[in-house]
Amino acid sequence: MMKSLRIRSFEEYKEKYALSVENPETFWGEIAENFTWKEKWDQVLDWNFDEPKINWFEGAKLNITENVLDRHLEKRGNKLALIWEPNDPKQRFIRYTYRELHELVCQFANVLKKKGVVKGDRVCIYLPMIPELTIAMLACARIGAVHSVIFAGFSANAIADRVNDAQAKLVITADGLNRGAKQIPLKRVVDEALESCPSVKEVIVYDSLAWMPNMVANRDSWWHELVDNESKVCEAEVMDAEDMLFILYTSGSTGNPKGVVHTCGGYMVYTAYTFQNVYQCDESDVYWSSADIGWITGHSYTVYGPLLTGATVLMFEGVPTFPDPGRFWQVIDKHSVNQFLTAPTALRSLMAHGEDHVLSYSLDSLKLLGTVGEPINDEAWKWYHLHVGKEKCAIVDNWWQTETGGIMISGLGNISPMKPTYAGFPLPGVQPVLLNQEGEEIQEADVEGYLCMKFPWPGMLRTTYGDHERCKATYFSQYKGYYFSGDGAKRDKNGMYRIIGRIDDVINVSGHRFGTAEIENAINTNSKVIESAVVGFPHPVKGQSIYAFVVCEKLPEDPIQARGAIVESVVSQIGKIALPEKIQFVTGLPKTRSGKIMRRILRKIAEGDISNLGDTSTLLDPLIVDEIVESAL
Ligand code: WT7
């Protein structure tokens, strides 16, 4: 592991934190010394949050895959890099050493080159949770192509939007995927998406399930045929520190999902540094994050962070409840996992199945537990600590975002103080503040405010693809001079942060992020719908669930059929993951005289809390509220 990256005590944490604020450039410059650069930087940092312009390690040259793979070969060539556990426990698992992974990545990088992919081209990846997903991402990075991974639960329309926004040249997919007892087609969905994606010239298909999908002539080719006889040596493209590494689309409060852009140098330094310190892996440890690589957690903490530090990573194809709700724990025992990261929603769904499933496994190997994606409730925290960690493992609660690239606020291994439901202290190098409505920094303890950052960190987003203004408007304009996260938080008297949740129109369903506008747009594609308003409401397992208020030309005579049609719209526009749990037909929405929907009122109704709907006198039609309350679901 990279020794000089690792903080080993809470005292040292405090010293490093102070240094990182006093002299950020010295702090990050020293950390960056731990990596292989083809050329060093001229300047550690050049920034302003107005444009915004964020340049880390300007002038430096590198290839991230040499840091992920090549530089480990000498000492860790025969060490396991990747352990892949399939969906079906009866199927054989796969293990690759660093040397093997290096060869596979280089080989596939050569395939991409032969297909005409060059530095800067965008490649879209729509694959199951199989090793080829990691290989494909790293192969892109090897040749300087920009990967854009799309979670394999998104619909054809959602793929098309992302492919077109990025103007991707090539798509990598598979015939289908296994998820629990289900098998889901992927190639068919890609085929449908590509009907409206003129930029895509080539599709590479991995044969995962032997399904023999339709192959389009002069466009589609088989992964296995392309790699056959391809060289396992591929020189790494020289990249500037600020060249793009990848785009990952994420939802915001307005419009379509935006392409968050991360660059090579800063993202590398930040994911390795945060992984090393938060997970504190020893050389022989096995680390596992259950998050899908289609989301940022998988990018930063299944692919880049762990491999950059030379760790052994487990990757799991399946789901927590298949073949039974003991699967996570069985996998931990089977592969002697030492550090395990999952989401509160997964814990809550397993809790609902009772303790027996977890009590049948020893879980002796575990040293550290992580939680990420949404606030963890007290009950789930305690269950995790007692039944999974057997009260001997610390829990690190990782707060961060797609935009931050890596963990921002969290415990570090078992060295920081723990407080259930608190994410904890900021990592050294991270400077959070809480702002009030007026944009002033809150100094007092236990007061809720808007969580913002007042100084850059290497892993932060640089822009939103193709639309820098949008990046500025979304993150840097709310409060001048600050990065605005969209979350509300509190800080206790010791300086520990507790995340309350989104304060914008973003809904977090089972750790997946959706914008209300995005779901409304999907609902509104239904020809019978005039308009709709979507809000989140608390859900015992998913954290939040989606409630849609829908206005049609007239109230539907057959609401079941009408709901089915709306469900269909959402499935086809976004995917099953964004399905509204409740759909209520109404004759109008509560709007202000200027036409703004008062979501605050709808949120209360969705929560079932109608005792205090607040002031409705400014509404265009206050009576509509009574109607909605009466027919609430
Ligand atoms: C949003 C970011 C971070 C990777 C996975 C989600 C919420 C994330 C926590 C946490 C409370 C959390 C926030 C954040 N969130 N982690 N530990 N405690 N809330 O990434 O899809 O970009 O979502 O997830 O609301 O803004 P994402």
Side-chain angles (χ1 to χ4, degrees), residues 350-522:
L350 295 177
M351 280 164 71
H353 288 97
E355 271 111 60
D356 287 355
H357 295 284
V358 56
L359 296 180
S360 5
Y361 296 94
S362 90
L363 305 179
D364 271 352
S365 55
L366 286 174
K367 297 186 198 170
L368 186 73
L369 300 173
T371 160
V372 68
E374 44 167 333
I376 185 163
N377 50 309
D378 201 52
E379 203 192 346
W381 195 99
K382 291 195 167 123
W383 190 87
Y384 201 21
H385 192 244
L386 177 64
H387 295 303
V388 182
K390 318 287 182 201
E391 292 182 303
K392 67 177 172 47
C393 300
I395 297 180
V396 290
D397 183 348
N398 308 156
W399 177 82
W400 58 296
Q401 310 176 292
T402 304
E403 294 86 344
T404 71
I407 300 166
M408 302 288 279
I409 300 179
S410 173
L412 306 183
N414 59 8
I415 68 180
S416 344
M418 263 193 313
K419 186 165 165 182
T421 76
Y422 277 69
F425 295 96
L427 266 67
V430 174
Q431 299 189 33
V433 292
L434 297 176
L435 301 183
N436 64 18
Q437 293 274 358
E438 284 69 50
E440 297 151 353
E441 291 187 18
I442 297 170
Q443 306 297 344
E444 308 92 287
D446 302 317
V447 179
E448 194 176 330
Y450 302 140
L451 180 58
C452 295
M453 298 295 148
K454 69 170 173 192
F455 198 83
W457 62 100
M460 73 186 296
L461 86 164
R462 300 301 194 266
T463 189
T464 45
Y465 191 75
D467 192 351
H468 194 63
E469 271 310 302
R470 190 167 177 202
C471 172
K472 179 177 173 171
T474 313
Y475 308 106
F476 299 94
S477 301
Q478 214 98 358
Y479 299 108
K480 227 182 129 33
Y482 296 94
Y483 164 85
F484 175 64
S485 72
D487 278 332
K490 282 201 243 188
R491 187 178 47 223
D492 72 7
K493 62 179 191 315
N494 300 316
M496 292 179 92
Y497 284 81
R498 177 187 186 149
I499 312 301
I500 316 280
R502 301 294 301 202
I503 48 119
D504 53 8
D505 292 322
V506 169
I507 307 178
N508 189 331
V509 185
S510 301
H512 301 165
R513 209 167 130 174
F514 299 101
T516 51
E518 182 190 1
I519 302 170
E520 287 159 10
N521 289 343

Side-chain angles (χ1 to χ4, degrees), residues 160-236:
D161 285 348
R162 289 159 174 77
V163 166
N164 287 330
D165 188 81
Q167 286 293 295
K169 191 165 173 181
L170 184 142
V171 174
I172 304 167
T173 189
D175 43 358
L177 64 75
N178 294 307
R179 184 165 288 152
K182 283 185 253 166
Q183 294 193 316
I184 298 164
L186 296 181
K187 175 65 166 58
R188 221 165 64 203
V189 182
V190 166
D191 284 345
E192 192 189 328
L194 295 190
E195 280 169 23
S196 48
C197 299
S199 65
V200 175
K201 305 290 179 239
E202 299 267 359
V203 178
I204 299 178
V205 186
Y206 183 77
D207 182 10
S208 193
L209 304 176
W211 272 3
M212 314 263 277
N214 176 47
M215 298 291 276
V216 177
N218 301 320
R219 190 195 73 181
D220 301 354
S221 30
W222 287 109
W223 177 301
H224 60 268
E225 287 175 8
L226 295 171
V227 295
D228 216 22
N229 294 322
E230 194 56 77
S231 158
K232 291 174 176 164
V233 180
C234 174
E235 207 173 312

